[in-house]
């Protein structure tokens, strides 16, 4: 193991975990660098939670090694507990304690802790600070569980599907909080099955399915590794033959989807120039003309044959 500021905060090598007949994690390896937001991405059952729970020292691996902040998490989980923050998927939240009482209780478990007010404000629970946790909505409870993960000012935070059940506003506000944590030097490992969340937040992602890591890199790398082409799209124009469009410069494929013509091209400028020259001869402009690149969702579909959320 290396140490110091350049050392990864998480190092996973050849990790395996089986539950009876189910091989939940099948030999995965990856690193999380200090100060980055790293995403484990995959559908239900991919093995994300199992991986995270092993990293948190809550489960033992069958095989492979796992280092967290330089400590072997399987052998000495106690050594890292004070330095990491864990958001549990279903936090046991002491139903009859109020938000501030639960936070105070968790603060007492640690040698170092953030002020309760900081925590309450960070997750926008100011107006609910005196509510008993059983009176919180699902989204508020979720936010409280995030605050509990931050109580000890951890160097590394684990967030397991942090925005599941949140409304769009709460989701955005949590994203802002995660970005703020990174700007303060905290490393974050999060699991998600929201594409947009990964695209907005993660410096790098690992795409998991059936216990394997299928791809690893920045979102940009994952997209360009698979899809060099961009899509030029516009409302289908009568009088333009699809086969003819397919022969425009650099067009690899032309399709019609829901009233929209899509040209997959390796040179957007050349294709649009030729398209506009052609539509001019018809005396029309293509309407709603736009360009888009492939997204993480397209990568996921291409890798696994199914969408991330089905
Ligand atoms: P989710 O998003 O649903 O939490 P996940 O990617 O986190 O999915 P895991 O929860 O790690 O996936 O589950 C991986 C596989 O292991 C699944 O097939 C699951 O049914 C199985 N599994 C998980 N925990 C246990 C357990 N305690 N006992 C038996 N099988 C389990």
């Amino acid at each position: 193991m290396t140490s110091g500021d350049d050392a990864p905060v998480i190092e996973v090598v050849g990790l395996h975990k089986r539950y009876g007949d189910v091989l939940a994690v099948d030999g995965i390896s990856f690193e999380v660098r200090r100060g980055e937001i790293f995403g484990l991405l995959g559908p239900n059952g991919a093995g994300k939670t199992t991986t995270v729970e092993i990293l948190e020292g809550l489960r033992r691996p069958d095989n492979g090694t796992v280092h967290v902040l330089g400590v072997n998490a399987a052998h000495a989980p106690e050594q890292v507990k004070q330095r990491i923050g864990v958001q549990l998927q279903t936090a046991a939240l002491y139903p009859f304690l109020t938000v501030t009482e639960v936070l105070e209780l968790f603060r007492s478990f640690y040698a170092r802790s953030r002020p309760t007010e900081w925590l309450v404000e960070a997750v926008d629970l100011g107006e609910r600070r005196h509510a008993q946790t059983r009176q919180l909505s699902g989204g508020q409870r979720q936010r409280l569980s995030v605050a509990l993960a931050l109580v000890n000012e951890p160097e590394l935070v684990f967030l397991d599907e942090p925005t599941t059940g949140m409304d769009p506003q709460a989701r955005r506000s949590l994203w802002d909080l995660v970005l703020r944590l990174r700007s303060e030097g905290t490393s974050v490992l999060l699991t998600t099955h929201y594409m947009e969340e990964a695209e907005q937040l993660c410096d790098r992602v690992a795409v998991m399915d059936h216990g394997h890591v299928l791809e690893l890199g920045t979102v940009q790398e994952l997209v360009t590794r698979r899809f060099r082409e961009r899509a030029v799209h516009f409302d289908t124009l009568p009088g333009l033959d699809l086969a003819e469009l397919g022969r425009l410069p650099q067009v690899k494929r032309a399709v019609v989807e829901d009233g929209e013509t899509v040209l997959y091209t390796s040179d957007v400028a050349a294709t649009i120039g030729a398209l506009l020259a052609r539509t001019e001869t018809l005396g029309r402009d293509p309407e709603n003309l736009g360009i888009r690149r492939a997204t993480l969702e397209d990568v996921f579909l291409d890798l696994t044959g199914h969408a991330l959320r089905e």
Side-chain angles (χ1 to χ4, degrees):
M1 252 332 268
T2 46
S3 61
D5 279 356
D6 294 340
V9 288
I10 293 176
E11 242 185 318
V12 174
V13 181
L15 182 66
H16 285 83
K17 179 71 184 179
R18 175 186 284 284
Y19 304 104
D21 290 343
V22 179
L23 195 50
V25 176
D26 190 9
I28 65 168
S29 301
F30 63 91
E31 284 183 5
V32 177
R33 301 169 187 153
R34 183 169 294 277
E36 80 174 339
I37 302 173
F38 186 92
L40 274 184
L41 213 64
N44 291 339
K48 307 179 302 289
T49 300
T50 300
T51 303
V52 170
E53 288 180 351
I54 291 170
L55 291 166
E56 293 164 352
L58 301 175
R59 289 185 188 281
R60 289 184 67 83
D62 295 334
N63 245 310
T65 56
V66 168
H67 285 91
V68 174
L69 301 172
V71 176
N72 186 319
H75 294 162
E78 291 309 319
Q79 281 184 33
V80 282
K81 289 238 163 92
Q82 289 279 334
R83 298 167 62 198
I84 63 172
V86 173
Q87 181 222 356
L88 301 168
Q89 239 175 5
T90 48
L93 289 176
Y94 304 92
F96 294 98
L97 293 188
T98 66
V99 167
T100 49
E101 285 168 348
V102 176
L103 288 167
E104 295 290 349
L105 178 68
F106 273 63
R107 290 177 74 235
S108 73
F109 299 155
Y110 295 99
R112 158 171 115 161
S113 64
R114 282 196 165 97
T116 303
E117 260 321 285
W118 187 100
L119 296 161
V120 165
E121 294 304 329
V123 296
D124 293 328
L125 280 177
E127 287 173 15
R128 304 293 282 154
R129 58 161 65 76
H130 299 304
Q132 292 180 337
T133 64
R134 68 194 171 108
Q135 297 165 328
L136 299 179
S137 70
Q140 290 168 344
R141 204 164 299 169
Q142 186 84 347
R143 282 187 266 152
L144 177 55
S145 74
V146 172
L148 293 174
L150 305 178
V151 160
N152 56 330
E153 213 174 344
E155 290 166 58
L156 167 64
V157 185
F158 294 93
L159 300 176
D160 197 0
E161 315 229 333
T163 61
T164 298
M166 286 188 186
D167 60 43
Q169 194 192 336
R171 179 167 296 153
R172 298 230 158 244
S173 142
L174 185 82
W175 290 352
D176 287 343
L177 173 61
V178 173
L179 293 171
R180 174 173 161 201
L181 291 170
R182 180 182 62 186
S183 73
E184 292 168 2
T186 311
S187 313
V188 180
L189 183 142
L190 68 87
T191 73
T192 185
H193 48 226
Y194 294 114
M195 286 297 139
E196 203 195 341
E197 186 155 291
E199 287 176 334
Q200 294 281 331
L201 290 184
C202 296
D203 297 306
R204 294 187 307 137
V205 298
V207 178
M208 281 189 81
D209 198 21
H210 298 302
H212 296 278
V213 170
L214 302 179
E215 283 276 5
L216 196 152
T218 65
V219 170
Q220 187 67 37
E221 282 166 358
L222 264 53
V223 169
T224 51
R225 219 175 268 167
R226 244 147 236 288
F227 300 99
R228 295 218 172 71
E229 298 148 16
R230 298 218 198 164
V232 171
H233 54 94
F234 51 94
D235 293 351
T236 296
L237 254 180
L240 276 184
D241 175 49
L242 202 57
E244 181 195 356
L245 290 172
R247 290 191 294 274
L248 290 180
Q250 308 305 327
V251 172
K252 307 296 172 203
R253 205 154 48 96
V255 294
V256 172
E257 293 165 357
D258 300 330
E260 195 183 52
T261 301
V262 186
L263 309 178
Y264 292 93
T265 173
S266 54
D267 184 339
V268 169
T271 297
I272 289 188
L275 172 69
L276 293 178
R278 176 68 184 89
T279 55
E280 204 178 303
T281 65
L282 295 175
R284 304 272 304 272
D285 280 332
E287 289 192 14
N288 294 315
L289 178 64
I291 306 158
R292 67 177 164 80
R293 62 168 68 244
T295 63
L296 205 49
E297 186 75 51
D298 298 316
V299 171
F300 201 81
L301 261 169
D302 196 50
L303 274 169
T304 67
H306 52 86
L308 192 51
R309 290 174 65 73
E310 294 191 311

